[in-house]
Amino acid sequence: MPNADNWQGDVLRDLRGTPPPQRAQSHGAAHGHRPAQEQQQPPQEQPQPRTSARAPGPNTPASSPAPAAPPARMQRPARSPDSRPVVDSALSGTARRPRQGEPAAARVSRAIRRIVSSSAAREVAEITRTAERIQQPVTTGRQIAVTSIRGGAGKTTVAALLGTAYAHYRQDPVLLVEADPALGSLPLRLGAETLRWTTADLAEIVEPQMSLLDVTGYLVQLPDNAWLLPGSQGRIGAMLDTAAYERVMVALRRYFGVTVVDCETLPAEVARVALSAAQARVLAAPATLDGITSTYAVLQWMQGLPSHMIAGTVVALTSTTSRPGIDVEDAAEKLRSTGATVHVLPHDRHLAAGGALRTELLARPTRLAATRLAAEVFQLSQKRR
């Protein structure tokens, strides 16, 4: 269980299955080896000790008391959901080959400009500074809520980009939570293949004495030390109430350095709870006239709330087409006038096509913009307990 002295070290040691230094280590545990099945499967019920008496052995005094029964462990829930594929087999063949985020001509032109100018060195220096901001240690887990005013604003895409950036740059575990049970697409965006346990399921299971290995047995493992907690199994009618959401988030906060929550669209009740409880908030907005108008109205409403709400809010302005119908920079300045921070995510063909997010296919401007956004949001989360 994590402690205040070395929170991140204890969590990583627990994750790898390595006993603390003061305990005796077996050969496998001392080298961090743990079967993959033990990491990914939910914990099994503890076998009950036999109650029948046994005759004392030749080296055991007859008057020796019976050994104490081991302490009771968490019991597996009676209802165990079946695994379901993220994409139905009848639809999986309809997907086309993923596209590069920008055309080949644009990539070649950018590479030539970087060779003949000094922009490459400046770019490397900027990436280094941004990475250092993301890698700052935390004493308690940071929770970042991502929401939007309407569907199709790029909310889930922004959540996936943030979670991927934190998992890439940070050493402690990162969690992505889908608090949008209404057919959310976060598992698809993150490349998950099957789903089993959901946020509502884990709310009935999670207990304070659970270890990190117990918890991760109910999560979907992702690359780079990241995990996913889905909101549903792709079924219509899945529900998540605020009590279940709060129970899960309070219990999991101590295990993960950063938690990114893909919320429902406003003004859903769970989304409002997530925004108020998070240390930083991201409001995804499309770079369209109606998207800017509705987002500006929400930011004006947030100005009447406690000052930390809008000060800890970042607007992710996403370009849905290569030629938006508005002046994106002018629109961003208008939104900044409310006190919120605004970052622009350029149009990217790979993101626009949907499907699993593959960072190597993102256009270079998109990768840089997403990393800057992740650093800005994390910095804001550090300013609030």
Side-chain angles (χ1 to χ4, degrees):
M1 184 175 297
N3 58 61
D5 298 330
N6 190 9
W7 176 84
Q8 291 172 312
D10 285 350
V11 167
L12 288 173
R13 182 167 52 247
D14 192 6
L15 176 64
R16 298 187 180 103
T18 307
Q22 66 270 18
R23 298 181 184 175
Q25 296 185 2
S26 65
H27 177 76
H31 292 78
H33 296 307
R34 179 170 292 269
Q37 182 179 4
E38 184 177 345
Q39 293 185 11
Q40 298 181 2
Q41 295 298 326
Q44 303 294 324
E45 293 184 1
Q46 182 76 6
Q48 297 298 323
R50 297 180 181 273
T51 57
S52 59
R54 293 183 60 186
N59 299 322
T60 304
S63 58
S64 297
R73 290 188 62 188
M74 177 196 62
Q75 296 297 313
R76 190 172 178 178
R79 184 180 66 86
S80 179
D82 297 328
S83 295
R84 292 176 59 90
V86 173
V87 179
D88 191 277
S89 58
L91 301 175
S92 58
T94 62
R96 291 182 175 178
R97 182 179 178 180
R99 304 178 68 189
Q100 288 280 351
E102 59 183 347
R107 298 197 303 272
V108 172
S109 175
R110 180 173 292 105
I112 294 175
R113 289 197 304 269
R114 293 177 70 245
I115 292 174
V116 300
S117 68
S118 60
S119 61
R122 292 195 302 269
E123 187 177 293
V124 171
E126 179 188 357
I127 293 175
T128 302
R129 290 191 300 268
T130 304
E132 290 175 349
R133 295 170 65 190
I134 297 177
Q135 292 168 349
Q136 291 181 4
V138 296
T139 54
T140 58
R142 304 285 89 186
Q143 294 181 2
I144 297 168
V146 183
T147 188
S148 62
I149 309 302
R150 64 187 67 185
K155 168 181 65 68
T156 298
T157 299
V158 170
L161 288 171
L162 289 176
T164 302
Y166 295 134
H168 176 74
Y169 285 105
R170 296 188 62 81
Q171 295 297 316
D172 47 11
V174 173
L175 176 65
L176 291 99
V177 176
E178 188 178 44
D180 185 359
L183 296 179
S185 58
L186 185 60
L188 177 62
R189 268 308 203 190
L190 294 173
E193 296 181 357
T194 59
L195 305 177
R196 189 174 184 185
W197 305 92
T198 67
T199 308
D201 295 327
L202 194 58
E204 302 175 0
I205 300 168
V206 66
E207 295 179 2
Q209 67 270 24
M210 293 173 68
S211 70
L212 181 61
L213 289 176
D214 291 330
V215 170
T216 54
Y218 295 99
L219 307 178
V220 179
Q221 188 167 8
L222 303 171
D224 291 330
N225 208 25
W227 277 265
L228 164 68
L229 179 57
S232 71
Q233 288 189 323
R235 293 190 178 99
I236 297 176
M239 299 297 294
L240 177 65
D241 56 35
T242 57
Y245 173 80
E246 290 175 346
R247 187 158 55 250
V248 167
M249 298 305 293
V250 170
L252 298 186
R253 178 177 176 179
R254 63 194 178 100
Y255 298 108
F256 299 93
V258 179
T259 299
V260 179
V261 185
D262 182 17
C263 301
E264 298 173 290
T265 55
L266 290 171
E269 185 177 5
V270 173
R272 294 200 305 269
V273 171
L275 290 176
S276 62
Q279 284 79 37
R281 290 152 293 279
V282 179
L283 188 61
T288 60
L289 182 59
D290 56 341
I292 294 296
T293 301
S294 56
T295 302
Y296 184 68
V298 170
L299 293 176
Q300 287 182 312
W301 167 75
M302 292 180 67
Q303 287 179 318
L305 302 177
S307 58
H308 72 267
M309 288 294 291
I310 196 165
T313 299
V314 178
V315 176
L317 194 57
T318 59
S319 298
T320 56
T321 64
S322 57
R323 295 180 61 86
I326 61 171
D327 188 319
V328 177
E329 292 301 328
D330 285 350
E333 286 301 321
K334 182 65 174 179
L335 297 178
R336 291 188 184 103
S337 67
T338 63
T341 305
V342 181
H343 280 262
V344 177
L345 290 176
H347 174 69
D348 190 287
R349 298 191 309 176
H350 176 61
L351 293 179
L357 171 63
R358 293 175 53 180
T359 55
E360 72 274 13
L361 295 181
L362 293 175
R364 191 168 188 84
T366 305
R367 290 200 300 269
L368 295 176
T371 307
R372 287 193 293 265
L373 173 64
E376 182 73 31
V377 175
F378 182 74
Q379 287 288 104
L380 291 179
S381 74
Q382 291 280 62
K383 297 180 180 180
R384 185 177 177 228
R385 290 286 181 182

